[in-house]
């Protein structure tokens, strides 16, 4: 094997790995439980079959643009990246982004704590408080070891999650084809306006935009800036397909009267599908893995941002590590507290609030930047 072949394979593995950082960040507690997909897509009727792809294409453009910019200009923590990206407007928008990301850091990992803790409690019978503490300890330990470990964990978790989801969803979708057809017919009889479904998908994609703070740190491993486009292209395919599959799975129980009150639609699907005895613990484990993966990526990004700021002043390696531990601990404690408000409240209210905050801070400035710089070529 010559050097060119080795380099090509290394580049491909990096592109693959970073693409799955997107998936593991996206596949959090709300996604895994089905509550997020139901709230933003399935309840808007038949449009749920195309809206996930639209939202992920929208996200893919922005993520690829941001990561390509980070690699070209060699800015890999989100503060340095924002200062370079916003240019002379950085004193305003970099600080606004900090406020937005603090809100994200309070919501997304809190959802992970709530979902993982509730699922673990159901599986083991242990108190919810103890289970959320166990989830938090695991997130804390992984986050303090830096982005390289996070990326390796992301790839492993992605493979496990995708394999498990296929095992759970494909048999249930095939078993429930009649129910899916009935659900589609019911949805078509009283269709939701396309505009409402599109707006819901827009909100979903917009609150995800803050994840650019997670992704820029991984841009450093790309061999060339355009690898970011390839990586996010692959990420779009994976995320869109998995979301559509979850939509179809939830449609198998769409006409079930219990659907109106189900806080975890995925579990309702499994309990009314095939292999209940085997599928229930399996999907519960997947929910926990999905919840943990999101929180790990979010906490690691914040740790890097804050610790890099201290490193620019003065410190030895041991002191920097101590700071990282303290920062991660503070993040985990705050998220643990917020998780006590409950999963559905955080998904339905807090996520939409994040989307409205992201419109002036990320969406509008990025569109202007794309136009003025001709996609960062001018």
């Amino acid at each position: 094997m010559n050097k060119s072949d080795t380099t090509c394979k290394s580049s491909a593995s990096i592109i693959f790995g970073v693409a799955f950082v997107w998936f593991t960040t996206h596949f959090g507690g709300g996604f895994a439980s089905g509550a997020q997909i139901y709230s933003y897509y399935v309840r808007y009727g038949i449009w749920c079959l195309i809206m996930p792809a639209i939202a992920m294409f929208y996200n893919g453009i922005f993520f690829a643009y941001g990561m390509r910019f980070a690699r070209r200009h060699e800015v890999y923590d989100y503060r340095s990246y924002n200062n370079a990206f916003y240019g002379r407007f950085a004193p305003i928008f970099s600080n606004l982004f900090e406020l937005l990301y603090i809100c994200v850091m309070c919501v997304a990992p809190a959802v992970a704590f709530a979902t993982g803790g509730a699922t673990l409690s159901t599986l083991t019978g242990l108190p919810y408080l103890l289970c959320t503490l166990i989830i938090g300890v695991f997130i804390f330990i992984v986050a303090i070891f830096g982005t390289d470990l996070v990326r390796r964990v992301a790839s492993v978790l992605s493979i496990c999650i995708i394999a498990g989801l296929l095992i759970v969803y494909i048999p249930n979708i095939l078993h429930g084809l009649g129910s899916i057809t009935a659900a589609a017919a019911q949805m078509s009889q009283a269709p939701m306006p396309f505009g409402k479904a599109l707006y819901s998908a827009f909100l979903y994609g917009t609150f995800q935009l803050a994840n650019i703070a997670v992704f820029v740190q991984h841009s450093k491993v790309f061999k060339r800036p355009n690898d970011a486009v390839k990586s996010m292209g692959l990420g779009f395919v994976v995320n869109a397909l998995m979301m559509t599959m979850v939509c179809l799975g939830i449609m198998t129980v769409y006409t079930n009267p219990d659907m109106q009150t189900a806080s975890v639609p995925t579990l309702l699907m499994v309990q009314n599908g095939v292999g209940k005895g085997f599928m229930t613990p399996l999907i519960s484990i997947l929910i926990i893995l999905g919840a943990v993966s999101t929180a790990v990526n979010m906490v690691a990004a914040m740790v890097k941002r804050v610790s890099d700021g201290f490193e620019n002043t003065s410190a030895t390696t041991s002191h920097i590590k101590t700071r990282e531990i303290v920062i991660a601990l503070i993040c985990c404690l705050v998220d643990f507290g917020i998780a006590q408000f409950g999963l559905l409240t955080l998904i339905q209210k807090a996520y939409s609030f994040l989307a409205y905050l992201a419109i002036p801070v990320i969406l509008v400035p990025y569109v202007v930047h794309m136009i003025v710089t001709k996609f960062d070529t001018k």
Side-chain angles (χ1 to χ4, degrees), residues 278-327:
F278 167 70
M279 297 292 189
T280 299
L282 177 59
I283 194 62
S284 298
I285 292 171
L286 292 176
I287 290 172
I288 293 173
L289 288 176
V292 167
S293 66
T294 292
V296 165
N297 281 297
M298 289 289 184
V299 173
M302 180 60 81
V303 169
K304 178 174 175 56
R305 165 67 187 95
V306 177
S307 64
D308 281 358
F310 281 115
E311 187 177 3
N312 289 334
T313 57
S314 63
T316 65
T317 302
S318 60
H319 288 161
I320 294 172
K321 176 59 75 173
T322 300
R323 290 193 186 107
E324 291 172 351
I325 293 173
V326 172
I327 295 163

Side-chain angles (χ1 to χ4, degrees), residues 263-279:
S263 58
V264 186
T266 302
L267 284 178
L268 181 64
M269 175 198 73
V270 170
Q271 291 166 353
N272 288 271
V274 295
K276 175 182 176 181
F278 167 70
M279 297 292 189

Side-chain angles (χ1 to χ4, degrees), residues 21-42:
V21 169
W22 177 9
F23 175 70
T24 53
T25 303
H26 178 207
F27 187 86
F31 190 137
S33 68
Q36 195 165 295
I37 299 298
Y38 177 79
S39 295
Y40 286 92
Y41 298 103
V42 177

Side-chain angles (χ1 to χ4, degrees), residues 30 107 274 370:
V107 174
V274 295
M370 292 174 185

Side-chain angles (χ1 to χ4, degrees), residues 36-225:
Q36 195 165 295
I37 299 298
Y38 177 79
S39 295
Y40 286 92
Y41 298 103
V42 177
R43 70 179 178 140
Y44 289 93
I46 199 67
W47 304 114
C48 70
L49 298 178
I50 63 171
M51 288 301 163
I54 292 175
M56 291 301 97
F57 184 73
Y58 162 42
N59 276 171
I61 292 174
F62 279 76
F63 293 156
Y65 188 70
M67 295 183 77
R68 180 177 176 275
F69 182 94
R71 180 63 182 83
R72 281 194 70 200
H73 301 276
E74 299 183 351
V75 281
Y76 303 120
D77 74 82
Y78 70 81
R79 181 69 184 198
S80 300
Y81 164 82
N82 283 333
N83 288 341
F85 188 90
Y86 291 120
R88 64 178 181 273
F89 299 104
I92 297 173
F93 285 99
S94 286
N95 290 318
L96 288 175
F97 191 99
E98 292 280 5
L99 294 176
L100 170 62
Y101 194 61
I102 289 172
C103 293
V104 173
M105 282 296 302
C106 291
V107 174
V111 170
F113 276 67
T115 309
T119 305
L120 186 60
S121 179
T122 301
L123 283 175
T124 63
L126 294 172
Y128 170 78
L129 188 64
L130 176 61
C131 291
T132 52
L133 180 61
I134 293 171
I135 295 293
V137 169
F138 178 74
I139 291 168
F140 168 73
I141 291 173
V142 176
I144 62 175
F145 286 101
T147 56
D148 288 339
L149 179 60
V150 171
R151 187 162 49 248
R152 291 196 295 271
V153 171
S155 297
V156 173
L157 286 181
S158 294
I159 294 171
C160 295
I161 290 169
I162 291 176
L165 285 176
L166 294 174
I167 292 171
V168 169
Y169 272 91
I170 290 179
N172 279 284
I173 289 172
L174 293 176
H175 177 265
L177 284 176
S179 299
I180 293 174
T181 302
Q186 181 175 317
M187 291 172 172
S188 300
Q189 288 175 0
M192 276 279 189
F194 177 81
K196 285 188 176 181
L198 183 63
Y199 184 67
S200 180
F202 165 74
L203 287 179
Y204 186 91
T206 302
F207 77 68
Q208 297 283 340
L209 291 181
N211 286 334
I212 191 64
V214 177
F215 302 148
V216 294
Q217 61 185 310
H218 298 289
S219 302
K220 188 175 184 178
V221 300
F222 289 134
K223 301 297 182 182
R224 57 192 66 85

